[in-house]
Amino acid sequence: MSSPIPKRIAGLKSAMSRVAIDAYIIPTADPHQSEYVPTYWGTREWITGFTGSAGSAVITANHAGLWTDSRYFLQATSQLKGTGVQLHKLVAQAQAEYIDWICSQLKPGQTVGCDFWCFSLSQIQAFDKKLTE
């Protein structure tokens, strides 16, 4: 049985291209910042196939990545196999290291998108500051 993940990622990349988004962040979060996300808000799991309770995905035109911490390295390696999603191993569990990766990959003027409902105001402000620099 083939994984539906590559088709889902291709569909997202196509939609991103149509609206000029160069990188899209998909967290493990809901609007209430719940520790355990209800199924309805399981976007990161749906797009990557990774079922762990912590992690963030970033999709660009040329890359699909999942950032998670050491608790999930073995699980992520297994679940991401054959999906085209690359595992990025977080050094610090509570850090948004994918923002540094995005900054290293994008050029000035490129656009980063996300579902703002899934981030706190302080997270968005920190992302804005880092990405603006």
Side-chain angles (χ1 to χ4, degrees), residues 22-81:
D22 301 294
Y24 194 78
I25 304 168
I26 306 167
T28 303
D30 68 4
H32 303 287
Q33 300 298 301
S34 303
E35 183 176 358
Y36 297 101
V37 179
T39 303
Y40 178 84
W41 293 97
T43 312
R44 190 261 309 139
E45 180 179 335
W46 183 82
I47 198 75
T48 66
F50 172 64
T51 61
S53 65
S56 297
V58 175
I59 310 298
T60 68
N62 302 315
H63 186 79
L66 172 79
W67 279 253
T68 194
D69 62 71
S70 61
R71 298 173 294 170
Y72 299 105
F73 290 170
L74 292 176
Q75 177 183 350
T77 298
S78 174
Q79 291 180 332
L80 299 178
K81 193 173 194 173

Short mmCIF file of all heavy atoms in Angstrom, two decimals, residues 22-81:
data_model
loop_
_atom_site.label_atom_id
_atom_site.label_comp_id
_atom_site.label_asym_id
_atom_site.label_seq_id
_atom_site.Cartn_x
_atom_site.Cartn_y
_atom_site.Cartn_z
N ASP A 22 6.10 30.87 0.19
CA ASP A 22 7.35 30.16 -0.06
C ASP A 22 7.68 29.10 0.99
O ASP A 22 8.41 28.16 0.72
CB ASP A 22 8.49 31.17 -0.17
CG ASP A 22 8.23 32.16 -1.29
OD1 ASP A 22 8.23 31.73 -2.45
OD2 ASP A 22 7.99 33.34 -1.00
N ALA A 23 7.16 29.28 2.19
CA ALA A 23 7.33 28.29 3.26
C ALA A 23 6.06 28.29 4.09
O ALA A 23 5.48 29.36 4.33
CB ALA A 23 8.54 28.63 4.13
N TYR A 24 5.64 27.11 4.51
CA TYR A 24 4.42 27.01 5.32
C TYR A 24 4.73 26.20 6.56
O TYR A 24 5.28 25.09 6.47
CB TYR A 24 3.29 26.35 4.52
CG TYR A 24 1.95 26.53 5.17
CD1 TYR A 24 1.26 27.73 5.06
CD2 TYR A 24 1.37 25.51 5.91
CE1 TYR A 24 0.02 27.91 5.68
CE2 TYR A 24 0.14 25.68 6.52
CZ TYR A 24 -0.53 26.88 6.40
OH TYR A 24 -1.74 27.06 7.02
N ILE A 25 4.40 26.74 7.72
CA ILE A 25 4.67 26.11 9.01
C ILE A 25 3.40 25.42 9.51
O ILE A 25 2.33 26.04 9.55
CB ILE A 25 5.12 27.15 10.05
CG1 ILE A 25 6.34 27.93 9.57
CG2 ILE A 25 5.38 26.47 11.40
CD1 ILE A 25 6.65 29.15 10.41
N ILE A 26 3.54 24.16 9.90
CA ILE A 26 2.41 23.40 10.43
C ILE A 26 2.81 22.85 11.81
O ILE A 26 3.57 21.89 11.90
CB ILE A 26 2.02 22.25 9.49
CG1 ILE A 26 1.77 22.78 8.08
CG2 ILE A 26 0.82 21.50 10.04
CD1 ILE A 26 1.69 21.72 7.02
N PRO A 27 2.30 23.46 12.86
CA PRO A 27 2.67 23.02 14.22
C PRO A 27 1.78 21.88 14.72
O PRO A 27 0.82 21.49 14.06
CB PRO A 27 2.41 24.29 15.04
CG PRO A 27 1.19 24.86 14.38
CD PRO A 27 1.40 24.61 12.90
N THR A 28 2.11 21.40 15.89
CA THR A 28 1.22 20.51 16.62
C THR A 28 0.51 21.41 17.62
O THR A 28 0.99 21.62 18.72
CB THR A 28 2.01 19.42 17.36
OG1 THR A 28 2.79 18.71 16.42
CG2 THR A 28 1.09 18.46 18.09
N ALA A 29 -0.60 21.99 17.22
CA ALA A 29 -1.26 22.96 18.08
C ALA A 29 -2.70 23.17 17.65
O ALA A 29 -3.10 22.82 16.54
CB ALA A 29 -0.52 24.30 18.04
N ASP A 30 -3.46 23.76 18.56
CA ASP A 30 -4.81 24.20 18.28
C ASP A 30 -4.96 25.62 18.82
O ASP A 30 -4.02 26.14 19.43
CB ASP A 30 -5.84 23.23 18.88
CG ASP A 30 -5.87 23.21 20.40
OD1 ASP A 30 -5.16 24.01 21.04
OD2 ASP A 30 -6.62 22.40 20.96
N PRO A 31 -6.09 26.28 18.59
CA PRO A 31 -6.23 27.67 19.04
C PRO A 31 -6.15 27.85 20.56
O PRO A 31 -5.92 28.96 21.03
CB PRO A 31 -7.62 28.07 18.53
CG PRO A 31 -7.84 27.19 17.35
CD PRO A 31 -7.20 25.88 17.72
N HIS A 32 -6.30 26.77 21.32
CA HIS A 32 -6.25 26.87 22.78
C HIS A 32 -4.88 26.51 23.34
O HIS A 32 -4.70 26.48 24.55
CB HIS A 32 -7.32 25.97 23.40
CG HIS A 32 -8.69 26.28 22.91
ND1 HIS A 32 -9.38 27.40 23.30
CD2 HIS A 32 -9.49 25.63 22.04
CE1 HIS A 32 -10.55 27.43 22.69
NE2 HIS A 32 -10.65 26.37 21.92
N GLN A 33 -3.93 26.20 22.45
CA GLN A 33 -2.59 25.78 22.84
C GLN A 33 -2.67 24.57 23.78
O GLN A 33 -1.93 24.47 24.77
CB GLN A 33 -1.82 26.94 23.50
CG GLN A 33 -1.63 28.16 22.60
CD GLN A 33 -0.81 27.85 21.36
OE1 GLN A 33 0.34 27.42 21.48
NE2 GLN A 33 -1.36 28.05 20.19
N SER A 34 -3.55 23.63 23.46
CA SER A 34 -3.73 22.42 24.26
C SER A 34 -2.49 21.54 24.20
O SER A 34 -1.78 21.51 23.19
CB SER A 34 -4.91 21.61 23.72
OG SER A 34 -6.09 22.37 23.71
N GLU A 35 -2.25 20.82 25.28
CA GLU A 35 -1.11 19.90 25.30
C GLU A 35 -1.33 18.75 24.33
O GLU A 35 -0.42 18.32 23.63
CB GLU A 35 -0.90 19.36 26.71
CG GLU A 35 0.31 18.45 26.81
CD GLU A 35 0.60 17.98 28.22
OE1 GLU A 35 -0.12 18.38 29.16
OE2 GLU A 35 1.55 17.21 28.38
N TYR A 36 -2.56 18.24 24.29
CA TYR A 36 -2.91 17.18 23.35
C TYR A 36 -3.95 17.73 22.39
O TYR A 36 -5.02 18.14 22.79
CB TYR A 36 -3.41 15.94 24.09
CG TYR A 36 -2.32 15.36 24.96
CD1 TYR A 36 -2.30 15.60 26.33
CD2 TYR A 36 -1.29 14.63 24.40
CE1 TYR A 36 -1.27 15.10 27.12
CE2 TYR A 36 -0.26 14.13 25.18
CZ TYR A 36 -0.25 14.37 26.54
OH TYR A 36 0.77 13.88 27.30
N VAL A 37 -3.61 17.73 21.13
CA VAL A 37 -4.42 18.37 20.10
C VAL A 37 -5.58 17.46 19.67
O VAL A 37 -5.36 16.29 19.35
CB VAL A 37 -3.54 18.70 18.88
CG1 VAL A 37 -4.34 19.34 17.77
CG2 VAL A 37 -2.38 19.61 19.31
N PRO A 38 -6.80 17.99 19.64
CA PRO A 38 -7.93 17.20 19.14
C PRO A 38 -7.72 16.82 17.67
O PRO A 38 -7.03 17.51 16.92
CB PRO A 38 -9.13 18.16 19.28
CG PRO A 38 -8.69 19.21 20.23
CD PRO A 38 -7.21 19.32 20.10
N THR A 39 -8.33 15.74 17.26
CA THR A 39 -8.18 15.22 15.90
C THR A 39 -8.42 16.29 14.84
O THR A 39 -7.69 16.35 13.84
CB THR A 39 -9.13 14.03 15.68
OG1 THR A 39 -8.86 13.05 16.68
CG2 THR A 39 -8.95 13.42 14.31
N TYR A 40 -9.41 17.12 15.04
CA TYR A 40 -9.74 18.16 14.06
C TYR A 40 -8.53 19.04 13.74
O TYR A 40 -8.37 19.49 12.61
CB TYR A 40 -10.88 19.03 14.59
CG TYR A 40 -11.27 20.16 13.66
CD1 TYR A 40 -12.15 19.94 12.61
CD2 TYR A 40 -10.72 21.44 13.81
CE1 TYR A 40 -12.49 20.96 11.74
CE2 TYR A 40 -11.06 22.47 12.95
CZ TYR A 40 -11.95 22.22 11.92
OH TYR A 40 -12.28 23.24 11.06
N TRP A 41 -7.68 19.30 14.72
CA TRP A 41 -6.53 20.17 14.54
C TRP A 41 -5.25 19.40 14.23
O TRP A 41 -4.16 19.95 14.26
CB TRP A 41 -6.33 21.04 15.78
CG TRP A 41 -7.45 22.01 15.93
CD1 TRP A 41 -8.55 21.87 16.72
CD2 TRP A 41 -7.60 23.25 15.24
NE1 TRP A 41 -9.38 22.95 16.56
CE2 TRP A 41 -8.82 23.82 15.66
CE3 TRP A 41 -6.84 23.94 14.30
CZ2 TRP A 41 -9.29 25.03 15.17
CZ3 TRP A 41 -7.30 25.15 13.83
CH2 TRP A 41 -8.51 25.68 14.26
N GLY A 42 -5.35 18.13 13.87
CA GLY A 42 -4.18 17.29 13.63
C GLY A 42 -3.56 17.47 12.25
O GLY A 42 -3.23 16.49 11.59
N THR A 43 -3.40 18.68 11.83
CA THR A 43 -2.88 18.97 10.49
C THR A 43 -1.46 18.45 10.28
O THR A 43 -1.15 17.90 9.23
CB THR A 43 -2.92 20.49 10.22
OG1 THR A 43 -4.19 20.98 10.59
CG2 THR A 43 -2.65 20.81 8.78
N ARG A 44 -0.60 18.63 11.27
CA ARG A 44 0.79 18.17 11.13
C ARG A 44 0.82 16.65 10.96
O ARG A 44 1.55 16.12 10.12
CB ARG A 44 1.62 18.61 12.34
CG ARG A 44 3.10 18.38 12.19
CD ARG A 44 3.60 17.12 12.88
NE ARG A 44 3.15 17.07 14.24
CZ ARG A 44 2.71 15.94 14.83
NH1 ARG A 44 2.68 14.81 14.18
NH2 ARG A 44 2.31 15.94 16.07
N GLU A 45 0.01 15.94 11.71
CA GLU A 45 -0.06 14.49 11.57
C GLU A 45 -0.59 14.12 10.18
O GLU A 45 -0.07 13.22 9.52
CB GLU A 45 -0.97 13.89 12.65
CG GLU A 45 -1.09 12.39 12.55
CD GLU A 45 -1.96 11.78 13.63
OE1 GLU A 45 -2.11 12.38 14.71
OE2 GLU A 45 -2.52 10.69 13.36
N TRP A 46 -1.62 14.81 9.72
CA TRP A 46 -2.22 14.51 8.42
C TRP A 46 -1.24 14.73 7.27
O TRP A 46 -1.17 13.92 6.34
CB TRP A 46 -3.47 15.38 8.23
CG TRP A 46 -4.21 15.09 6.97
CD1 TRP A 46 -5.11 14.08 6.76
CD2 TRP A 46 -4.11 15.80 5.74
NE1 TRP A 46 -5.57 14.14 5.46
CE2 TRP A 46 -4.97 15.19 4.81
CE3 TRP A 46 -3.37 16.92 5.33
CZ2 TRP A 46 -5.11 15.64 3.51
CZ3 TRP A 46 -3.52 17.36 4.03
CH2 TRP A 46 -4.38 16.73 3.14
N ILE A 47 -0.48 15.81 7.32
CA ILE A 47 0.40 16.14 6.19
C ILE A 47 1.69 15.32 6.20
O ILE A 47 2.27 15.08 5.15
CB ILE A 47 0.70 17.67 6.12
CG1 ILE A 47 1.23 18.06 4.73
CG2 ILE A 47 1.71 18.10 7.18
CD1 ILE A 47 0.19 18.12 3.67
N THR A 48 2.15 14.86 7.40
CA THR A 48 3.42 14.13 7.46
C THR A 48 3.26 12.64 7.77
O THR A 48 4.16 11.85 7.46
CB THR A 48 4.34 14.71 8.55
OG1 THR A 48 3.75 14.49 9.84
CG2 THR A 48 4.64 16.17 8.32
N GLY A 49 2.18 12.26 8.44
CA GLY A 49 2.02 10.88 8.87
C GLY A 49 2.63 10.61 10.24
O GLY A 49 2.49 9.52 10.78
N PHE A 50 3.28 11.59 10.83
CA PHE A 50 3.91 11.44 12.14
C PHE A 50 2.87 11.63 13.23
O PHE A 50 2.23 12.68 13.30
CB PHE A 50 5.05 12.45 12.30
CG PHE A 50 5.65 12.50 13.68
CD1 PHE A 50 6.31 11.40 14.21
CD2 PHE A 50 5.55 13.64 14.44
CE1 PHE A 50 6.85 11.44 15.48
CE2 PHE A 50 6.09 13.71 15.70
CZ PHE A 50 6.74 12.60 16.23
N THR A 51 2.71 10.63 14.11
CA THR A 51 1.66 10.66 15.12
C THR A 51 2.13 11.07 16.51
O THR A 51 1.33 11.09 17.45
CB THR A 51 0.98 9.28 15.24
OG1 THR A 51 1.95 8.30 15.64
CG2 THR A 51 0.33 8.88 13.93
N GLY A 52 3.39 11.39 16.68
CA GLY A 52 3.88 11.83 17.98
C GLY A 52 3.18 13.09 18.44
O GLY A 52 2.63 13.85 17.64
N SER A 53 3.22 13.35 19.74
CA SER A 53 2.49 14.48 20.29
C SER A 53 3.25 15.81 20.20
O SER A 53 2.70 16.84 20.59
CB SER A 53 2.12 14.22 21.76
OG SER A 53 3.29 14.13 22.55
N ALA A 54 4.46 15.80 19.69
CA ALA A 54 5.23 17.05 19.58
C ALA A 54 6.00 17.07 18.27
O ALA A 54 6.64 16.09 17.90
CB ALA A 54 6.20 17.18 20.75
N GLY A 55 5.93 18.19 17.58
CA GLY A 55 6.67 18.35 16.34
C GLY A 55 6.05 19.43 15.49
O GLY A 55 4.90 19.81 15.69
N SER A 56 6.83 19.94 14.56
CA SER A 56 6.37 20.95 13.62
C SER A 56 6.87 20.59 12.24
O SER A 56 7.99 20.11 12.09
CB SER A 56 6.89 22.33 14.00
OG SER A 56 6.39 22.72 15.26
N ALA A 57 6.04 20.84 11.26
CA ALA A 57 6.42 20.59 9.87
C ALA A 57 6.62 21.91 9.16
O ALA A 57 5.95 22.90 9.47
CB ALA A 57 5.34 19.77 9.16
N VAL A 58 7.53 21.92 8.22
CA VAL A 58 7.73 23.07 7.34
C VAL A 58 7.79 22.54 5.92
O VAL A 58 8.53 21.59 5.63
CB VAL A 58 9.03 23.84 7.67
CG1 VAL A 58 9.27 24.95 6.65
CG2 VAL A 58 8.97 24.42 9.08
N ILE A 59 6.98 23.14 5.07
CA ILE A 59 6.93 22.75 3.67
C ILE A 59 7.38 23.93 2.83
O ILE A 59 6.92 25.06 3.03
CB ILE A 59 5.49 22.34 3.26
CG1 ILE A 59 4.87 21.33 4.23
CG2 ILE A 59 5.46 21.84 1.83
CD1 ILE A 59 5.57 20.01 4.34
N THR A 60 8.30 23.69 1.90
CA THR A 60 8.70 24.69 0.91
C THR A 60 8.55 24.04 -0.46
O THR A 60 8.22 22.85 -0.56
CB THR A 60 10.16 25.15 1.11
OG1 THR A 60 11.05 24.06 0.80
CG2 THR A 60 10.42 25.65 2.53
N ALA A 61 8.84 24.78 -1.50
CA ALA A 61 8.73 24.23 -2.85
C ALA A 61 9.64 23.02 -3.04
O ALA A 61 9.31 22.09 -3.78
CB ALA A 61 9.06 25.30 -3.89
N ASN A 62 10.79 23.00 -2.34
CA ASN A 62 11.78 21.94 -2.55
C ASN A 62 12.00 21.05 -1.35
O ASN A 62 12.92 20.23 -1.37
CB ASN A 62 13.12 22.57 -2.95
CG ASN A 62 12.99 23.41 -4.20
OD1 ASN A 62 12.37 23.00 -5.16
ND2 ASN A 62 13.55 24.60 -4.17
N HIS A 63 11.21 21.22 -0.30
CA HIS A 63 11.51 20.48 0.93
C HIS A 63 10.24 20.28 1.76
O HIS A 63 9.38 21.14 1.81
CB HIS A 63 12.53 21.27 1.76
CG HIS A 63 13.02 20.56 2.98
ND1 HIS A 63 13.98 19.59 2.93
CD2 HIS A 63 12.70 20.69 4.28
CE1 HIS A 63 14.22 19.14 4.15
NE2 HIS A 63 13.44 19.80 4.99
N ALA A 64 10.20 19.13 2.41
CA ALA A 64 9.18 18.86 3.43
C ALA A 64 9.93 18.32 4.63
O ALA A 64 10.65 17.32 4.52
CB ALA A 64 8.16 17.83 2.93
N GLY A 65 9.84 19.01 5.75
CA GLY A 65 10.59 18.61 6.93
C GLY A 65 9.74 18.55 8.17
O GLY A 65 8.74 19.26 8.29
N LEU A 66 10.15 17.70 9.10
CA LEU A 66 9.51 17.58 10.40
C LEU A 66 10.57 17.79 11.46
O LEU A 66 11.61 17.13 11.44
CB LEU A 66 8.89 16.20 10.59
CG LEU A 66 8.37 15.95 12.01
CD1 LEU A 66 7.02 16.63 12.21
CD2 LEU A 66 8.29 14.47 12.32
N TRP A 67 10.31 18.71 12.38
CA TRP A 67 11.19 18.98 13.49
C TRP A 67 10.55 18.38 14.74
O TRP A 67 9.41 18.71 15.08
CB TRP A 67 11.37 20.48 13.70
CG TRP A 67 12.36 21.10 12.79
CD1 TRP A 67 13.61 21.55 13.12
CD2 TRP A 67 12.22 21.39 11.38
NE1 TRP A 67 14.24 22.07 12.02
CE2 TRP A 67 13.41 21.97 10.93
CE3 TRP A 67 11.20 21.17 10.45
CZ2 TRP A 67 13.62 22.38 9.62
CZ3 TRP A 67 11.39 21.56 9.14
CH2 TRP A 67 12.59 22.16 8.73
N THR A 68 11.28 17.48 15.42
CA THR A 68 10.78 16.92 16.68
C THR A 68 11.98 16.62 17.58
O THR A 68 13.13 16.67 17.14
CB THR A 68 9.92 15.66 16.44
OG1 THR A 68 9.22 15.35 17.65
CG2 THR A 68 10.73 14.47 15.99
N ASP A 69 11.68 16.33 18.84
CA ASP A 69 12.75 16.13 19.82
C ASP A 69 13.09 14.66 19.99
O ASP A 69 12.45 13.78 19.41
CB ASP A 69 12.38 16.79 21.15
CG ASP A 69 11.15 16.19 21.78
OD1 ASP A 69 11.23 15.04 22.24
OD2 ASP A 69 10.11 16.87 21.81
N SER A 70 14.09 14.40 20.81
CA SER A 70 14.68 13.07 20.94
C SER A 70 13.70 11.99 21.41
O SER A 70 13.92 10.81 21.15
CB SER A 70 15.89 13.10 21.87
OG SER A 70 15.50 13.53 23.17
N ARG A 71 12.62 12.36 22.06
CA ARG A 71 11.63 11.37 22.47
C ARG A 71 11.03 10.64 21.28
O ARG A 71 10.54 9.52 21.40
CB ARG A 71 10.48 12.03 23.25
CG ARG A 71 10.89 12.69 24.54
CD ARG A 71 9.72 13.45 25.13
NE ARG A 71 9.35 14.57 24.25
CZ ARG A 71 8.25 15.30 24.38
NH1 ARG A 71 7.38 15.03 25.34
NH2 ARG A 71 8.00 16.31 23.56
N TYR A 72 11.07 11.28 20.11
CA TYR A 72 10.36 10.77 18.94
C TYR A 72 11.25 10.42 17.75
O TYR A 72 10.74 10.13 16.68
CB TYR A 72 9.32 11.81 18.50
CG TYR A 72 8.30 12.09 19.55
CD1 TYR A 72 8.33 13.26 20.27
CD2 TYR A 72 7.29 11.16 19.83
CE1 TYR A 72 7.40 13.53 21.26
CE2 TYR A 72 6.35 11.42 20.81
CZ TYR A 72 6.41 12.60 21.52
OH TYR A 72 5.48 12.84 22.49
N PHE A 73 12.56 10.43 17.93
CA PHE A 73 13.44 10.18 16.78
C PHE A 73 13.18 8.82 16.13
O PHE A 73 13.08 8.73 14.91
CB PHE A 73 14.91 10.29 17.17
CG PHE A 73 15.39 11.69 17.50
CD1 PHE A 73 16.63 11.88 18.06
CD2 PHE A 73 14.61 12.81 17.25
CE1 PHE A 73 17.10 13.16 18.36
CE2 PHE A 73 15.05 14.10 17.55
CZ PHE A 73 16.31 14.26 18.11
N LEU A 74 13.07 7.77 16.91
CA LEU A 74 12.84 6.44 16.33
C LEU A 74 11.46 6.35 15.69
O LEU A 74 11.32 5.84 14.58
CB LEU A 74 12.99 5.35 17.40
CG LEU A 74 14.39 5.15 17.95
CD1 LEU A 74 14.38 4.12 19.09
CD2 LEU A 74 15.35 4.72 16.86
N GLN A 75 10.45 6.85 16.38
CA GLN A 75 9.09 6.83 15.85
C GLN A 75 9.00 7.62 14.55
O GLN A 75 8.42 7.16 13.56
CB GLN A 75 8.12 7.40 16.88
CG GLN A 75 6.68 7.47 16.39
CD GLN A 75 5.75 8.12 17.42
OE1 GLN A 75 6.12 8.33 18.56
NE2 GLN A 75 4.54 8.41 16.99
N ALA A 76 9.58 8.83 14.54
CA ALA A 76 9.52 9.67 13.34
C ALA A 76 10.26 9.02 12.18
O ALA A 76 9.77 9.03 11.05
CB ALA A 76 10.10 11.05 13.65
N THR A 77 11.41 8.45 12.45
CA THR A 77 12.17 7.78 11.39
C THR A 77 11.31 6.69 10.74
O THR A 77 11.26 6.60 9.51
CB THR A 77 13.47 7.18 11.95
OG1 THR A 77 14.28 8.25 12.47
CG2 THR A 77 14.24 6.42 10.89
N SER A 78 10.64 5.93 11.55
CA SER A 78 9.79 4.86 11.03
C SER A 78 8.58 5.40 10.28
O SER A 78 8.28 4.96 9.17
CB SER A 78 9.32 3.98 12.20
OG SER A 78 8.39 3.02 11.77
N GLN A 79 7.88 6.36 10.87
CA GLN A 79 6.64 6.86 10.27
C GLN A 79 6.87 7.73 9.04
O GLN A 79 5.99 7.85 8.19
CB GLN A 79 5.82 7.62 11.31
CG GLN A 79 5.25 6.70 12.37
CD GLN A 79 4.43 7.42 13.40
OE1 GLN A 79 4.63 8.60 13.70
NE2 GLN A 79 3.46 6.71 13.97
N LEU A 80 8.03 8.36 8.93
CA LEU A 80 8.31 9.22 7.78
C LEU A 80 8.88 8.45 6.59
O LEU A 80 8.94 8.99 5.48
CB LEU A 80 9.27 10.34 8.17
CG LEU A 80 8.78 11.31 9.25
CD1 LEU A 80 9.86 12.33 9.58
CD2 LEU A 80 7.48 11.99 8.84
N LYS A 81 9.25 7.22 6.80
CA LYS A 81 9.85 6.40 5.73
C LYS A 81 8.90 6.34 4.53
O LYS A 81 7.72 6.01 4.65
CB LYS A 81 10.13 5.00 6.26
CG LYS A 81 11.01 4.18 5.37
CD LYS A 81 11.36 2.88 6.05
CE LYS A 81 12.50 2.22 5.32
NZ LYS A 81 12.97 1.04 6.05
#
